[in-house]
């Protein structure tokens, strides 16, 4: 359950940054991304899957959230 | 020798790896790569930030070096105690040339060394009492000190001293920030983790100190310069450009910086980050907590400076944007003259770099402005995100080497035959004895500044006087020179 900092890059994509692992990836898709909720399964551009319980209302980025490793 | 092709570079890597035992070969192969600018993610072709192999000559430092030497050390009005045995602080004292103004020993302490000088009894019985006494002594001898940081050396973590408790207690007593930093040298694989630990200590003990204090008058043009350590005056050469643009530089992190500046940084509008590797952590934190955007900039060479100034100005209104253009125009005559003077002397020269965590990609633009070509580059302690940024800067088929070993670097140089090498003091004399011109790119070889337009003039002059120095033609002893009529041996490096 790593702490992940989510921020927007210049292009407006969401970046997924794990400080401990020094890993920074772009988020490819988020399961639910509506005006009410944000979360569910998150897929990164490197193909790895992460999970977070949907948050409502959606968080303001940048922010730090706790993710679970999705099953691979 | 012209540039190597992709296949040749790959073959060179294979050849160099040949001497290693199988296990070491497999490990080192992951750290050497041929650049392909189209690759988006560096981790597919190069591994970085891994433990160095035992038995090879590495050039890396330790976490203490990253925290005391790099991040905390230049903060001039604090005293940084090298907590532990005397050597770590004594041998690293004042070697970095991070300039500052002030009266050393009165209100600034940059070049002084403070240590708790651990003896056997401190290891056996613990050093907390000694630390408490030391802090009292410092405060008595140097009453103008604004704060104290306790930089742990290896034994502190090993014997389990509670420096946090001592710091808290003494901090209350003296009413000054006393910052314990857990940067024991054995942590992590290089100085990089030391940067991270130091950033975290700043986050926990400094950044929030003036939250809810509205007495500081802010302007819409406040910026902080982060990750510029003022090597040879770099930060000053950068700062004047920003000020000419109409921005107000509130804080310099951490070259010529003060504790008060750091405490005020959360009140700025934009964080400008030069050394991404050592200070991205705190910038990310300030973005999250205070909503301060941050951007990376590059003040090496006129092309990159102009690019960066425009990028910085884009965060502000039209007056600043117009000012940025004015600044660029103002210096144009100056840097055009520099290029006109030195480019003909340096055109087509090939450079190999091996520096810390930022310069292997940042100085590329400055070399290109002088018509030089960077044919190989590598970092001591970079992470994947640094290589992501590097691969776009570098040309096709350039050699990339991460945490290069002494042997590999020598072999690469023998084969690639660059006209100039830029690396640190540990590599300097080896390559000079091999007959290859060399510049120290950590400390600017006792020169500098190299940042900004003023710095570019010095950079160009230094590169010229190194590459075109007549001494490189006198490397061969007279009795070894071929007799008249024989073919001239062009370079000693080839036979070395």
């Amino acid at each position: 359950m790593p702490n992940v900092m989510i921020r927007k890059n210049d292009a407006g994509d969401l970046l997924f940054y794990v400080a401990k692992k020094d890993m920074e990836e772009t988020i490819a898709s988020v399961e639910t991304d509506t005006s009410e909720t944000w979360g569910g399964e998150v897929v990164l551009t490197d193909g790895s899957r992460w999970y977070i319980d949907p948050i409502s209302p959606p968080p303001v980025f940048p922010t730090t959230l706790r993710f679970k490793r999705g099953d691979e | 020798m012209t540039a190597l092709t992709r296949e040749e570079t790959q073959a060179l890597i294979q050849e160099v790896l040949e001497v290693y035992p199988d296990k070491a070969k497999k490990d080192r192969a992951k750290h050497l790569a041929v650049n392909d600018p189209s690759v988006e993610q560096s981790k597919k072709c190069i591994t970085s930030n891994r433990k160095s192999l035992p038995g090879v000559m590495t050039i890396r430092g330790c976490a203490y070096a990253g925290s005391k030497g790099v991040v905390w050390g230049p903060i001039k009005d604090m005293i940084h105690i090298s907590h532990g045995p005397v050597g770590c602080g004594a041998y690293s004292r004042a070697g970095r040339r991070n300039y500052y103004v002030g009266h050393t020993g009165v209100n600034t302490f940059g070049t002084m060394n403070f240590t708790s000088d651990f003896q056997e009894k401190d290891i056996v019985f613990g050093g907390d009492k000694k630390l408490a006494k030391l802090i009292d002594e410092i405060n008595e001898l140097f009453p103008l000190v604004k704060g104290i940081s306790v930089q742990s050396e290896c034994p502190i973590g090993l014997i389990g001293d509670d420096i946090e408790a001592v710091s808290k207690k003494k901090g209350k007593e003296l009413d000054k920030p006393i910052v314990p930093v857990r940067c024991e040298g054995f942590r992590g694989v290089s100085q990089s983790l030391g940067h991270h630990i130091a950033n975290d200590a700043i986050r926990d003990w400094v950044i929030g100190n003036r939250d809810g204090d509205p007495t500081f008058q802010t302007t819409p043009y406040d910026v902080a310069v982060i990750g510029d350590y003022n090597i040879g005056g770099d930060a000053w050469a950068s700062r004047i450009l920003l000020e000419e643009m109409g921005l107000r530089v509130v804080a310099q992190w951490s070259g010529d910086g003060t504790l008060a500046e750091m405490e005020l940084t959360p009140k700025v509008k934009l964080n400008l980050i030069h050394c991404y590797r050592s200070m991205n952590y705190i910038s990310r934190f300030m973005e999250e907590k205070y909503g301060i955007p941050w951007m990376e900039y590059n003040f090496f060479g006129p092309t990159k400076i102009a690019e960066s100034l425009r990028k910085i100005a884009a965060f502000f209104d039209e007056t600043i944007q117009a000012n940025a253009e004015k600044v660029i125009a103002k210096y144009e005559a100056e840097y055009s003259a520099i290029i006109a003077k030195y480019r003909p002397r340096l055109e087509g020269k090939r450079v190999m770099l091996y520096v810390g965590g930022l310069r292997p990609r940042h100085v590329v633009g400055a070399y290109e402005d002088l018509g030089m070509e960077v044919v190989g580059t590598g970092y001591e302690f970079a992470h994947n995100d640094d290589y992501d940024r590097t691969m776009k800067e570098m040309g096709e088929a350039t050699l990339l080497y991460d945490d290069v070993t002494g042997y590999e670097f020598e072999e690469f140089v023998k084969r690639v035959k660059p006209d100039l090498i830029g690396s640190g003091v540990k590599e300097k004399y080896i390559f000079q004895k091999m007959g290859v011109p060399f510049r120290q790119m950590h400390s600017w070889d006792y020169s500098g500044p190299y940042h900004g337009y003023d710095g570019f003039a010095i950079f160009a002059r230094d590169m010229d006087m190194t590459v075109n120095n007549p001494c490189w033609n006198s490397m061969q002893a007279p009795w070894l020179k071929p007799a008249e009529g024989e073919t001239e041996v062009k370079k000693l490096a080839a036979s070395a």
Side-chain angles (χ1 to χ4, degrees), chain B residues 129-349:
Chain B
K129 277 189 189 141
K130 194 171 195 176
L131 178 62
K133 194 168 162 232
L134 188 73
I135 292 172
D136 283 335
E137 276 177 16
I138 285 176
N139 196 50
E140 205 179 314
L141 287 168
F142 303 101
L144 291 181
V145 66
K146 293 287 181 351
I148 295 170
S149 78
V150 182
Q151 309 283 336
S152 313
E153 293 168 10
C154 296
I156 308 308
L158 297 172
I159 63 177
D161 270 10
D162 193 354
I163 56 168
E164 283 85 1
V166 179
S167 303
K168 255 187 201 147
K169 185 165 157 266
K170 283 285 153 196
K172 270 206 194 94
E173 257 179 59
L174 304 178
D175 197 26
K176 284 178 183 175
I178 296 183
V179 184
V181 190
R182 283 285 178 187
C183 58
E184 286 90 349
F186 55 75
R187 293 187 199 275
V189 298
S190 65
Q191 51 267 65
S192 188
L193 190 70
H195 305 144
H196 198 156
I197 293 168
N199 275 237
D200 287 357
I202 294 173
R203 176 193 72 195
D204 294 343
W205 297 82
V206 177
I207 283 289
N209 286 3
R210 295 199 50 180
D211 285 3
D213 171 4
T215 51
F216 181 68
Q217 298 285 322
T218 59
T219 72
Y221 303 121
D222 289 354
V223 294
V225 172
I226 293 200
D228 193 325
Y229 299 103
N230 206 25
I231 312 291
D234 276 345
W236 297 328
S238 309
R239 184 184 177 122
I240 54 168
L241 297 181
L242 298 170
E243 283 172 349
E244 276 176 39
M245 261 168 79
L247 300 173
R248 184 169 77 149
V249 180
V250 170
Q252 276 176 226
W253 288 54
S254 52
D256 196 33
T258 61
L259 180 66
E261 287 177 23
M262 290 174 61
E263 288 173 344
L264 287 173
T265 308
K267 306 189 188 295
V268 302
K269 298 291 176 294
L270 175 66
N271 277 327
L272 301 172
I273 171 163
H274 206 253
C275 180
Y276 169 83
R277 181 70 275 136
S278 61
M279 288 215 175
N280 77 81
Y281 316 102
I282 199 74
S283 310
R284 286 173 197 272
F285 172 74
M286 282 193 267
E287 183 182 38
E288 185 180 348
K289 187 166 175 200
Y290 301 98
I292 305 167
W294 53 275
M295 63 157 280
E296 295 165 53
Y297 72 107
N298 179 354
F299 270 0
F300 287 105
T303 313
K304 292 286 174 189
I305 297 173
E307 211 172 89
S308 295
L309 288 177
R310 292 196 176 109
K311 212 168 132 200
I312 294 166
F315 279 85
F316 296 94
D317 55 26
E318 271 109 37
T319 39
I320 300 289
Q321 285 164 21
N323 283 347
E325 295 304 326
K326 267 186 223 156
V327 171
I328 296 165
K330 180 187 160 191
Y331 286 96
E332 199 185 338
E334 196 180 300
Y335 70 73
S336 307
I338 302 286
I339 292 175
K341 182 174 176 190
Y342 292 106
R343 192 166 172 138
R345 300 170 61 83
L346 295 168
E347 185 85 53
K349 300 282 185 198

Side-chain angles (χ1 to χ4, degrees), chain B residues 367-398:
Chain B
Y367 281 116
E368 282 171 357
D369 285 335
L370 291 172
M372 299 166 84
E373 188 195 357
V374 180
V375 291
T377 197
Y379 297 88
E380 268 174 51
F381 52 81
H383 300 196
N384 274 331
D385 43 358
D386 295 297
Y387 283 101
D388 288 346
R389 290 163 170 79
T390 313
M391 297 176 94
K392 293 187 190 81
E393 295 273 332
M394 306 296 299
E396 173 77 20
T398 26

